Structure formats: structure tokens, C-alpha cells
Amino acid sequence: MKNTLLLCLLIIGGLHLQAQHSVPTDYFSNPLDIPLILSGSFGELRSNHFHSGLDIKTQQKEGLPIYAPADGYVSRIKVAHYGYGKALYIQHPNGYSTVYAHLQKYAGAIEQYVKENQYNKESFEVELFPEASRLTVNKGDIIGYTGNSGSSGGPHLHFEIRDGASRPMNPMLFGIDIPDTKKPLINSVMAYPISDDAHVNKSQNPIKLRLMLQKDGSYKAEKITAHGKIGFGVSAYDQQDGASNKNGVYKITTHYNGTESFKVLFEKFSFDETRYLNRFIDYYYWMNNKSRVQKLFREANNPLSVITYENDNGFIVVEDGFSSNYTIEVTDFKGNVINITVPIEGTNEEILEPKTVTKTDDFIYANQATSISKGKFSVYIPANSLYEDTFLNIQAQGDTLLLHEDVIPIHKNITITVDASNYDPKDLDRLYVGRLNYRGDPYYNTTTRKGDKLSAYTRTFGSYVLVADTTAPLVKALNFDDGKWISKNETLRFKITDDLSGISSYRATVNGKFILLEYDYKKDVLTYDFDDGVITDTENNLKLIVIDNVGNSTTFEATFFRK
């Protein structure tokens, strides 16, 4: 009896485990009724994160209908100026959820619900969590329309499928079919000496390998000489049919003398780990060459789950007098493969190029918190903000701080504090800490003040400066004039700009009633849609207040007439 019970429990547990790992391939339909062509793939390497969905091209147009791929209910709505812009989240009965971003607008009852809440909160930016019974959808219902809102570089639909723990998964696993008959493409292969005695081609620094295209379409690297523990990296991308975009690959597998060494698989990850992309890539090479090399080994402080197999963390040890082969196999989701072979001759020879280390006065231990003072600046680096111990070049001159250079990734926010006691107290609220771009212009960093000290967080090395902004934003009406009739207008549109700290907030009223303005920061344009039905009078007195990030404000007033 006990054995039978145990057998039943094992069978049930096995079935449960199998159910946990099975992915329904015929549950979700396509969210768009057009051929699916990608401008971005799942797991693609982006700035500070892995791409969490598919970017589906919308034929360079906005306003295409988006269809619910399965039954469910709207569980979350977020409208923001940046990031996902207008985003929609649908929870499905099978435990998965789908996400739609950069929308132009929502559809039907969803749009009405959003507008009601925006007017109630008197804010364009809202985050809403409707009750499960409030906004239900059936498979095939129109839920919204494609757009270019938020931090989008052009019209497209960002589409995600997430598991029950809100981890994004590759939508192609669920049967979302993207035609792809092209092999991945290879940019470069790098070799990295790791151990103190290691070298490649007589160098202890990273080496870019020379690749030769073979008749069968594979690549073979020029033979390298090496010794000690070394690792490799590859820069590769994929192109699906109908698109020239350099999208991410699906799988990378390496072998050393025929034995599997390392595997990266882009099927699922957690948002908590996505910033570790900066540890996974060769960040220094990326910042200097604008090509992301994926390191095919796991270093300390790299917990990424997309690494699904590793033998000795993906490193290989080359011994003197032995010849060997290292192979890299890059695969897309459709199984198109490109192979790279690296012949290695084990030779412990004289090192002609020792490891390059620039020593400075400030050496940072990654696992320890560090405070550094330079001039009127102080820098606080929390423990584990950096991935490894390193020297930093930190210097201050007047109101400018040189905080190393952006060739080392920062994982956690570090704090920059500046003593502004030499400024007139009445000017302190107009100061901010800005990061200088390549043109020498200061980007606004969110800055707080306590007494005569100003502080800002950052996760980017570079030059920072204390900036005074005493200039108010500029406001200009784009499609109407003061005192004129505009009965045929569908919208009110304004151009708003601020040259230094940037736009923080805005608010408009007509005849004392709040009107909702949508902000397109990419075009510096505010838009009111008369379809909102708020403006019903013939004579209308408009008042628009725009405030920048340090509190300078501009009030724009005008009168218009409308039947």
C-alpha cells in the first residue's frame, strides 16, 4: 500500500513537473493581422538590459489594430512619457500574461477607462490595476492600436509573453512564427587571457581574432598561440526574412576538443538579472567600438540564468605543447547555424604585451563600500556597485568632476555630492548636477538638495558638472493663434522646450477646467484632443503652465473661439 501510494505521488509529481515546463504552442494567436517581421528579437542585447519581447514592424505606420491573442482580462495599464509609453498588460487563464507597448491609443472600453482615470488624477501619466472583472477580453478582440509612444525609435509593437512569476519568455516558444531562412552573421571573435600566466599571441590583453570565411559558409580563425586559462567572446546577430535589422541570436554553444564547454540560451530571464548584461558583454569593447561581444564564460558576479551550461565556467586551459580546437556554434530560433573554429597551439612563450593596468590614487574593492572626496565633490560607491576590483581616475576642478570614463559598468547607483556653499543661497534651488555628453552639454541628473549640498545618483561614469539653470521653458502654439476661431481644429498643439535641465511637468486649463495634454518628448510637442469633450464653450480662455526640472516656470495664456 505504501509503495503504491509512493508510486502515485511520484507520478503526480512528475506530471506536475512536466506541466510546469511545458509551453503551449497553440494557445496564443498573432497580435497583429499583418506578416510578422521583426525589428528586435527576444533576448537581444540592448543598453543595460536584455530585450524582453519581440519588436514587430508595423509597415512604418501607426494605428494598426492589436488583437487579444487569447481570452483574459486587463490586469495593468501604464501610461508614461518614457519607457514603454502607453502599455497594456493582459492576464490569461493559463497563468501567462501578455504585454503590449508603445501604443498609439487603447481601444473601446479600455481607452475610456484610461481617459476617465487621467482626468480624475489630472495627469497624463497613470498606472492602473483594474479589477479582474472590469476589462475582460476575448481572443480576437481589438485591445489597442500600434504607435510610437515612449522611448520608441519608430512605429512598432513591442510584444511580450510572461510566465506566472512575471519573467519574460521568448514568444517564439509559444508558436509565434517569424519566417527566417538566414544564417546568423558574425562580427568578431575575441580571445581573453584570464590567469596571471595566460597569454594569447604573446599578449595578456584581449585579442581580436582574424576570421576566414570557408567554402561551406563557416568561419575559421587564424591559428593562435596560447597558454594558461583563457576565454573567448563573440559578436553576432541574426536577420529574419524581410528585414535588415541586426537582431539578437537564440543560442550560442561552445566546445573544446569536442566537449561542450558553454551554452547561452535566450528563452527566459528575470527582470532582476537583466542589468547583468553589462557583466556578460565586453563593456570596454562596446564603449570603444559600438559592438557588443558576448563573453562565452562566466566571471564572478554574473548570476545570469541565460547561461544554461558551463564546464569550468566556460574557460579552457591551454597546456604547452598541445594542439587543440575551440568551436563556437551560433544558432537562431529556426535552427540556422553558423560555426566558427579556432585552432590553438599551446606554447608558453615570452610575453611581449603585458596586461595593461593604469594605476591611480583610488583603488576600489568591489565588495566594499567606498567614499572618496575630491575638491568640493564627494563620491559614495556602495558595495557591489562594481563587478570587480579596479583603479578609478577621479579628479575635481572647480565645479567639474571627472569620474573616471564610461568604460567600466556600474551595477548599483553611486552618489555624487557637491558642496555649493560658495553660491548665493537664493540660487541654490536653480542648481543641478549634470553629466556632460560628447558635445560637452550637461544632461540633467535628478538632483536633491539638503542645505547647501546637492546630491545626484548615477550608474554611468564620466564627467559631471554643477549647472545653474535660470532660464524658463519656451512655449509656442503650433496650430492656433490668440484671439482666433479654430472650429475646424481637431487638436490643440504646443511646442515646449527647455535648453538645460529639461521639462519636469505641465498643466493646462480652459475656462478653469483641466484638459489632458499628451506629451511627445521626442518632438517636444503637447497635444490636446477635442474629442475628449471637455471644451464646450464658444469663448475659451487657455492657461498652460510648464515647469522645468529646477522649478523655472512659464505661463502661456491665449483665447480662442470655437463652435
Side-chain angles (χ1 to χ4, degrees):
M1 181 69 179
K2 288 182 179 179
N3 290 338
T4 304
L5 179 60
L6 178 60
L7 180 60
C8 289
L9 289 173
L10 288 173
I11 292 173
I12 292 171
L15 290 173
H16 178 66
L17 189 63
Q18 183 180 9
Q20 279 186 319
H21 289 83
S22 64
V23 174
T25 57
D26 57 357
Y27 188 85
F28 296 110
S29 60
N30 292 343
L32 298 177
D33 189 21
I34 57 173
L36 299 188
I37 300 173
L38 300 186
S39 59
S41 59
F42 181 84
E44 191 169 291
L45 311 179
R46 300 284 181 89
S47 293
N48 303 313
H49 70 284
F50 296 104
H51 190 231
S52 56
L54 302 179
D55 282 348
I56 304 172
K57 291 179 175 248
T58 55
Q59 303 171 343
Q60 300 181 340
K61 296 183 292 189
E62 295 186 39
L64 299 182
I66 304 168
Y67 300 93
D71 294 349
Y73 65 90
V74 176
S75 59
R76 181 186 178 197
I77 302 167
K78 187 172 183 180
V79 181
H81 297 138
Y82 308 103
Y84 278 9
K86 292 184 178 181
L88 183 69
Y89 300 72
I90 296 179
Q91 183 64 48
H92 301 281
N94 65 349
Y96 294 95
S97 60
T98 51
V99 183
Y100 315 79
H102 309 303
L103 276 57
Q104 179 192 64
K105 61 181 180 179
Y106 305 98
I110 305 173
E111 175 75 1
Q112 182 180 353
Y113 175 80
V114 173
K115 278 287 176 74
E116 288 174 356
N117 278 274
Q118 287 175 316
Y119 272 98
N120 288 337
K121 297 174 184 293
E122 295 193 354
S123 172
F124 171 68
E125 292 192 303
V126 293
E127 185 170 15
L128 309 170
F129 298 90
E131 295 179 356
S133 60
R134 181 65 187 264
L135 297 170
T136 59
V137 298
N138 295 319
K139 186 173 185 174
D141 285 351
I142 297 177
I143 55 176
Y145 298 88
T146 63
N148 188 30
S149 61
S151 304
S152 168
H156 73 278
L157 174 66
H158 174 89
F159 174 67
E160 297 179 19
I161 299 178
R162 299 183 182 180
D163 69 9
S166 294
R167 292 172 297 194
M169 298 184 66
N170 193 331
M172 296 187 197
L173 295 169
F174 295 82
I176 303 298
D177 186 49
I178 309 296
D180 184 0
T181 57
K182 302 177 183 178
K183 290 183 177 182
L185 299 169
I186 306 300
N187 280 326
S188 57
V189 172
M190 301 287 293
Y192 298 89
I194 302 299
S195 57
D196 291 339
D197 64 338
H199 52 80
V200 175
N201 291 348
K202 301 182 181 181
S203 173
Q204 290 188 312
N205 295 302
I207 295 288
K208 183 177 180 180
L209 305 186
R210 180 171 173 264
L211 300 178
M212 296 167 287
L213 183 63
Q214 306 299 294
K215 290 183 180 180
D216 62 358
S218 65
Y219 286 93
K220 186 175 183 179
E222 193 171 51
K223 180 183 286 187
I224 63 172
T225 59
H227 176 76
K229 179 185 283 190
I230 64 173
F232 292 89
V234 64
S235 172
Y237 61 92
D238 189 41
Q239 292 179 326
Q240 289 81 27
D241 295 352
S244 59
N245 301 78
K246 295 180 178 181
N247 298 333
V249 301
Y250 173 62
K251 180 173 65 174
I252 305 174
T253 308
T254 72
H255 291 80
Y256 185 49
N257 290 334
T259 299
E260 188 170 356
S261 177
F262 196 77
K263 181 188 286 186
V264 182
L265 187 62
F266 292 102
E267 290 190 340
K268 178 169 64 175
F269 61 85
S270 166
F271 286 112
D272 291 340
E273 60 180 317
T274 188
R275 192 174 176 87
Y276 285 100
L277 170 137
N278 289 332
R279 183 58 163 163
F280 176 58
I281 66 169
D282 184 336
Y283 192 86
Y284 183 93
Y285 190 86
W286 157 242
M287 295 309 299
N288 284 280
N289 299 279
K290 296 307 174 189
S291 175
R292 291 186 176 96
V293 173
Q294 303 178 59
K295 292 183 284 190
L296 303 175
F297 48 89
R298 189 195 294 272
E299 296 172 288
N301 297 317
N302 175 3
L304 286 173
S305 62
V306 294
I307 299 173
T308 60
Y309 179 82
E310 54 194 306
N311 181 17
D312 193 20
N313 294 322
F315 297 113
I316 66 170
V317 177
V318 180
E319 297 181 4
D320 190 30
F322 289 88
S323 297
S324 55
N325 279 307
Y326 182 88
T327 60
I328 305 169
E329 182 180 271
V330 182
T331 310
D332 65 25
F333 191 83
K334 288 290 189 177
N336 302 301
V337 180
I338 194 80
N339 289 288
I340 307 160
T341 301
V342 182
I344 305 170
E345 185 69 34
T347 305
N348 192 5
E349 51 194 348
E350 181 184 1
I351 297 171
L352 300 182
E353 187 181 324
K355 185 176 182 179
T356 302
V357 178
T358 302
K359 295 185 177 181
T360 68
D361 293 336
D362 298 302
F363 185 76
I364 309 301
Y365 292 94
N367 64 351
Q368 298 178 17
T370 305
S371 293
I372 298 171
S373 294
K374 301 283 183 177
K376 62 170 61 177
F377 291 89
S378 62
V379 179
Y380 176 68
I381 304 174
N384 303 313
S385 296
L386 306 182
Y387 297 120
E388 58 187 40
D389 302 344
T390 188
F391 287 99
L392 294 182
N393 181 23
I394 305 175
Q395 302 176 31
Q397 184 173 4
D399 286 348
T400 302
L401 173 71
L402 171 63
L403 185 59
H404 204 71
E405 58 178 320
D406 189 14
V407 293
I408 296 175
I410 303 175
H411 192 77
K412 293 182 180 179
N413 277 322
I414 66 176
T415 305
I416 300 171
T417 301
V418 56
D419 183 346
S421 57
N422 60 315
Y423 281 82
D424 191 313
K426 67 179 178 8
D427 296 330
L428 291 176
D429 285 335
R430 296 296 180 262
L431 297 176
Y432 71 92
V433 177
R435 179 174 179 267
L436 298 180
N437 64 14
Y438 68 96
R439 294 190 302 267
D441 299 325
Y443 281 120
Y444 175 78
N445 271 69
T446 300
T447 303
T448 58
R449 182 169 74 87
K450 187 174 182 180
D452 53 13
K453 289 184 171 55
L454 288 88
S455 297
Y457 294 118
T458 185
R459 289 199 282 187
T460 307
F461 284 120
S463 293
Y464 290 82
V465 63
L466 188 61
V467 184
D469 180 2
T470 58
T471 305
L474 296 177
V475 180
K476 179 184 178 182
L478 293 177
N479 65 343
F480 70 98
D481 294 312
D482 185 26
K484 300 295 184 179
W485 284 84
I486 57 169
S487 299
K488 294 183 179 180
N489 277 33
E490 295 180 353
T491 62
L492 293 175
R493 299 175 69 241
F494 309 86
K495 183 88 168 181
I496 60 171
T497 56
D498 189 83
D499 289 339
L500 281 176
S501 62
I503 303 297
S504 170
S505 62
Y506 54 87
R507 188 178 190 276
T509 58
V510 170
N511 298 334
K513 293 186 292 187
F514 170 82
I515 62 170
L516 180 67
L517 296 177
E518 296 203 8
Y519 180 35
D520 184 344
Y521 78 93
K522 297 189 288 286
K523 297 179 180 178
D524 298 320
V525 171
L526 289 174
T527 302
Y528 167 75
D529 191 335
F530 280 109
D531 283 344
D532 284 1
V534 176
I535 300 174
T536 57
D537 296 330
T538 300
E539 181 177 346
N540 297 281
N541 298 304
L542 167 73
K543 185 176 183 180
L544 169 61
I545 301 173
V546 180
I547 304 173
D548 68 16
N549 278 300
V550 296
N552 299 303
S553 67
T554 295
T555 300
F556 175 91
E557 296 184 271
T559 300
F560 62 87
F561 300 90
R562 182 177 173 83
K563 287 184 178 179

